[in-house]
């Protein structure tokens, strides 16, 4: 339940930006995809914290964050030129 609340709190930033900044234009699909990404990242991080400890935990969380950022960047501007690029 906490992960859903944290996800919704993080999504209020783009919601407010969408309302007050003219160049910020997210559709409902963008909010759904970002909500899924944030929730997944929080879920994987929680799983990693329960299963690993020490340096393995830190490395696993760093990998999750890097994958999250790369996926987000691909969806936003298409840094890899994939079919899901937003540009």
């Amino acid at each position: 339940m906490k992960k859903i609340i944290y996800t919704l709190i993080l999504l209020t930033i783009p919601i407010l930006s969408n309302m007050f900044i003219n160049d910020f234009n997210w559709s409902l699909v963008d909010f759904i995809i970002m909500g899924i990404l944030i929730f997944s990242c929080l879920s994987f991080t929680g799983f990693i914290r329960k299963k690993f400890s020490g340096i393995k935990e830190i490395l696993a969380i760093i990998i999750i964050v890097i994958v999250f950022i790369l996926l987000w960047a691909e969806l936003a501007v298409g840094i890899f030129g994939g079919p899901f690029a937003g540009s």
Side-chain angles (χ1 to χ4, degrees):
M1 186 68 178
K2 285 183 182 180
K3 293 174 188 138
I4 294 173
I5 293 171
Y6 294 151
T7 302
L8 293 174
I9 289 171
L10 286 172
L11 283 175
T12 58
I13 297 168
I15 288 172
L16 293 174
S17 299
N18 213 17
M19 289 193 300
F20 297 113
I21 299 174
N22 292 333
D23 294 332
F24 199 93
N25 189 17
W26 276 23
S27 66
L28 180 62
V29 174
D30 296 326
F31 284 103
I32 291 170
I33 291 172
M34 187 51 88
I36 291 169
L37 284 174
I38 292 171
F39 183 78
S40 299
C41 189
L42 291 174
S43 296
F44 285 135
T45 304
F47 174 76
I48 295 297
R49 289 183 179 263
K50 290 180 184 176
K51 295 294 178 185
F52 298 110
S53 63
I55 193 73
K56 288 182 181 179
E57 175 187 0
I58 294 169
L59 289 175
I61 290 174
I62 289 171
I63 290 170
I64 289 172
V65 170
I66 289 171
V67 168
F68 173 80
I69 291 171
L70 287 174
L71 186 58
W72 174 51
E74 173 61 24
L75 290 171
V77 295
I79 59 173
F80 301 117
F84 302 109
S87 58

